[in-house]
Short mmCIF file of all heavy atoms in Angstrom, two decimals:
data_model
loop_
_atom_site.label_atom_id
_atom_site.label_comp_id
_atom_site.label_asym_id
_atom_site.label_seq_id
_atom_site.Cartn_x
_atom_site.Cartn_y
_atom_site.Cartn_z
N LEU S 43 114.45 94.20 98.01
CA LEU S 43 115.15 94.63 99.16
C LEU S 43 115.12 93.68 100.32
O LEU S 43 115.77 93.91 101.32
CB LEU S 43 114.60 96.02 99.61
CG LEU S 43 114.70 97.15 98.55
CD1 LEU S 43 114.07 98.40 99.05
CD2 LEU S 43 116.17 97.43 98.16
N VAL S 44 114.33 92.60 100.26
CA VAL S 44 114.16 91.72 101.39
C VAL S 44 115.56 91.03 101.65
O VAL S 44 116.20 90.55 100.74
CB VAL S 44 113.13 90.62 101.08
CG1 VAL S 44 113.02 89.62 102.15
CG2 VAL S 44 111.76 91.31 100.90
N ARG S 46 118.24 92.41 102.54
CA ARG S 46 119.44 93.29 102.27
C ARG S 46 119.73 94.11 103.46
O ARG S 46 118.93 94.50 104.22
CB ARG S 46 119.20 94.12 101.08
CG ARG S 46 118.90 93.27 99.86
CD ARG S 46 119.00 93.87 98.56
NE ARG S 46 120.42 94.32 98.29
CZ ARG S 46 120.78 94.79 97.09
NH1 ARG S 46 119.86 94.90 96.17
NH2 ARG S 46 121.92 95.16 96.87
N GLY S 48 121.58 97.62 105.02
CA GLY S 48 121.99 98.96 104.63
C GLY S 48 123.25 99.38 105.26
O GLY S 48 123.64 98.88 106.37
N LEU S 53 124.62 112.47 109.82
CA LEU S 53 125.22 113.82 110.00
C LEU S 53 124.22 114.65 110.84
O LEU S 53 123.18 115.11 110.42
CB LEU S 53 125.44 114.51 108.65
CG LEU S 53 126.02 115.93 108.62
CD1 LEU S 53 127.40 115.85 109.19
CD2 LEU S 53 126.00 116.44 107.24
N GLU S 57 124.08 124.33 113.92
CA GLU S 57 124.38 125.63 113.30
C GLU S 57 125.72 125.64 112.53
O GLU S 57 125.82 126.19 111.37
CB GLU S 57 124.42 126.73 114.40
CG GLU S 57 124.36 128.16 113.86
CD GLU S 57 123.03 128.51 113.24
OE1 GLU S 57 122.01 127.94 113.72
OE2 GLU S 57 123.01 129.26 112.28
N TRP S 59 127.19 123.02 111.15
CA TRP S 59 127.07 122.24 109.92
C TRP S 59 126.25 123.03 108.80
O TRP S 59 126.60 123.04 107.64
CB TRP S 59 126.41 120.91 110.13
CG TRP S 59 127.24 119.80 110.69
CD1 TRP S 59 127.20 119.28 111.95
CD2 TRP S 59 128.33 119.18 110.00
NE1 TRP S 59 128.18 118.31 112.07
CE2 TRP S 59 128.92 118.23 110.91
CE3 TRP S 59 128.97 119.32 108.80
CZ2 TRP S 59 129.98 117.40 110.57
CZ3 TRP S 59 130.02 118.51 108.46
CH2 TRP S 59 130.52 117.65 109.34
N THR S 62 128.55 125.48 107.21
CA THR S 62 129.46 124.82 106.36
C THR S 62 128.89 124.41 105.04
O THR S 62 129.40 124.68 103.96
CB THR S 62 130.07 123.56 107.09
OG1 THR S 62 130.72 124.01 108.24
CG2 THR S 62 131.12 122.88 106.15
N ILE S 63 127.66 123.86 105.09
CA ILE S 63 126.93 123.43 103.91
C ILE S 63 126.51 124.64 103.07
O ILE S 63 126.66 124.70 101.87
CB ILE S 63 125.73 122.54 104.31
CG1 ILE S 63 126.27 121.21 104.91
CG2 ILE S 63 124.91 122.27 103.10
CD1 ILE S 63 125.25 120.45 105.56
N GLY S 66 128.89 126.07 100.70
CA GLY S 66 129.22 125.33 99.55
C GLY S 66 130.34 124.27 99.77
O GLY S 66 131.05 123.93 98.77
N ASN S 70 134.20 116.06 100.22
CA ASN S 70 135.45 115.74 100.92
C ASN S 70 135.57 116.58 102.12
O ASN S 70 136.07 116.13 103.13
CB ASN S 70 136.67 115.87 99.96
CG ASN S 70 137.89 115.26 100.59
OD1 ASN S 70 137.87 114.11 100.99
ND2 ASN S 70 138.90 116.10 100.68
N MET S 76 133.70 115.50 109.45
CA MET S 76 133.12 114.34 110.21
C MET S 76 134.19 113.60 111.01
O MET S 76 134.05 113.22 112.11
CB MET S 76 132.32 113.40 109.29
CG MET S 76 131.08 113.97 108.76
SD MET S 76 130.25 112.93 107.56
CE MET S 76 129.46 111.71 108.74
N LYS S 77 135.35 113.33 110.30
CA LYS S 77 136.45 112.65 110.98
C LYS S 77 136.95 113.48 112.14
O LYS S 77 137.26 112.87 113.20
CB LYS S 77 137.58 112.37 109.98
CG LYS S 77 137.22 111.14 109.16
CD LYS S 77 137.21 109.90 109.90
CE LYS S 77 137.01 108.78 108.92
NZ LYS S 77 136.88 107.46 109.70
N ARG S 79 135.33 115.38 114.06
CA ARG S 79 134.26 115.31 115.06
C ARG S 79 134.05 113.85 115.59
O ARG S 79 133.15 113.60 116.37
CB ARG S 79 133.00 115.95 114.63
CG ARG S 79 133.03 117.38 114.36
CD ARG S 79 131.70 117.86 113.89
NE ARG S 79 131.74 119.31 113.52
CZ ARG S 79 130.72 120.07 113.52
NH1 ARG S 79 129.59 119.69 114.01
NH2 ARG S 79 130.83 121.37 113.10
N ASN S 80 134.87 112.91 115.09
CA ASN S 80 134.73 111.49 115.42
C ASN S 80 133.31 110.97 115.13
O ASN S 80 132.80 110.12 115.85
CB ASN S 80 135.05 111.27 116.95
CG ASN S 80 136.54 111.54 117.14
OD1 ASN S 80 137.36 111.13 116.36
ND2 ASN S 80 136.82 112.13 118.35
N LEU S 81 132.73 111.48 114.02
CA LEU S 81 131.52 110.90 113.52
C LEU S 81 131.73 109.80 112.56
O LEU S 81 132.66 109.86 111.75
CB LEU S 81 130.66 112.00 112.83
CG LEU S 81 130.23 113.17 113.64
CD1 LEU S 81 129.60 114.27 112.79
CD2 LEU S 81 129.22 112.71 114.75
N LEU S 85 132.13 104.15 105.44
CA LEU S 85 133.14 103.11 105.56
C LEU S 85 133.24 102.51 106.90
O LEU S 85 133.42 101.35 107.04
CB LEU S 85 134.47 103.71 105.08
CG LEU S 85 135.63 102.69 105.09
CD1 LEU S 85 135.38 101.48 104.13
CD2 LEU S 85 136.94 103.38 104.65
N ALA S 88 130.42 100.15 107.19
CA ALA S 88 130.74 98.90 106.40
C ALA S 88 131.69 98.06 107.08
O ALA S 88 131.51 96.82 107.16
CB ALA S 88 131.22 99.36 105.06
N ALA S 90 132.39 97.78 110.26
CA ALA S 90 131.79 97.21 111.42
C ALA S 90 130.90 96.03 111.11
O ALA S 90 130.89 95.04 111.77
CB ALA S 90 130.94 98.25 112.17
N ALA S 94 131.46 92.11 112.07
CA ALA S 94 130.44 91.39 112.74
C ALA S 94 129.97 90.15 111.99
O ALA S 94 129.11 89.43 112.43
CB ALA S 94 129.29 92.30 113.10
N LEU S 96 128.31 90.29 109.19
CA LEU S 96 126.96 90.60 108.56
C LEU S 96 127.09 90.89 107.05
O LEU S 96 126.07 90.83 106.39
CB LEU S 96 126.32 91.81 109.26
CG LEU S 96 125.99 91.65 110.71
CD1 LEU S 96 125.57 92.98 111.30
CD2 LEU S 96 125.01 90.53 110.94
N SER S 98 130.36 91.19 103.66
CA SER S 98 131.67 90.77 103.15
C SER S 98 132.28 91.95 102.40
O SER S 98 131.56 92.79 101.87
CB SER S 98 131.62 89.54 102.30
OG SER S 98 131.06 89.86 101.07
N VAL S 102 130.27 94.71 100.02
CA VAL S 102 130.40 96.17 100.20
C VAL S 102 130.92 96.88 99.04
O VAL S 102 130.37 97.89 98.56
CB VAL S 102 131.30 96.48 101.48
CG1 VAL S 102 131.74 97.88 101.54
CG2 VAL S 102 130.63 96.03 102.79
N GLY S 104 130.57 95.96 96.05
CA GLY S 104 129.51 95.96 94.97
C GLY S 104 128.33 96.98 95.30
O GLY S 104 127.70 97.41 94.41
N VAL S 106 128.91 99.97 97.14
CA VAL S 106 129.41 101.35 97.27
C VAL S 106 130.33 101.65 96.04
O VAL S 106 131.27 100.94 95.83
CB VAL S 106 130.16 101.55 98.56
CG1 VAL S 106 130.69 102.94 98.65
CG2 VAL S 106 129.30 101.22 99.80
N ALA S 107 129.88 102.67 95.30
CA ALA S 107 130.55 102.98 94.05
C ALA S 107 132.03 103.47 94.22
O ALA S 107 132.94 103.03 93.51
CB ALA S 107 129.79 103.93 93.20
N TRP S 109 135.18 105.20 97.15
CA TRP S 109 135.56 105.64 98.45
C TRP S 109 136.89 106.30 98.27
O TRP S 109 137.76 105.92 97.67
CB TRP S 109 135.72 104.47 99.42
CG TRP S 109 134.47 104.20 100.03
CD1 TRP S 109 133.40 104.94 100.24
CD2 TRP S 109 134.10 102.90 100.65
NE1 TRP S 109 132.40 104.31 100.88
CE2 TRP S 109 132.78 103.06 101.18
CE3 TRP S 109 134.71 101.75 100.82
CZ2 TRP S 109 132.06 102.07 101.80
CZ3 TRP S 109 134.05 100.72 101.45
CH2 TRP S 109 132.80 100.87 102.02
#
Side-chain angles (χ1 to χ4, degrees):
L43 300 176
V44 174
R46 300 196 66 172
L53 180 63
E57 195 67 33
W59 279 115
T62 301
I63 293 167
N70 192 56
M76 288 177 78
K77 284 293 186 183
R79 295 181 186 207
N80 293 320
L81 295 172
L85 181 58
L96 299 173
S98 71
V102 169
V106 180
W109 276 337

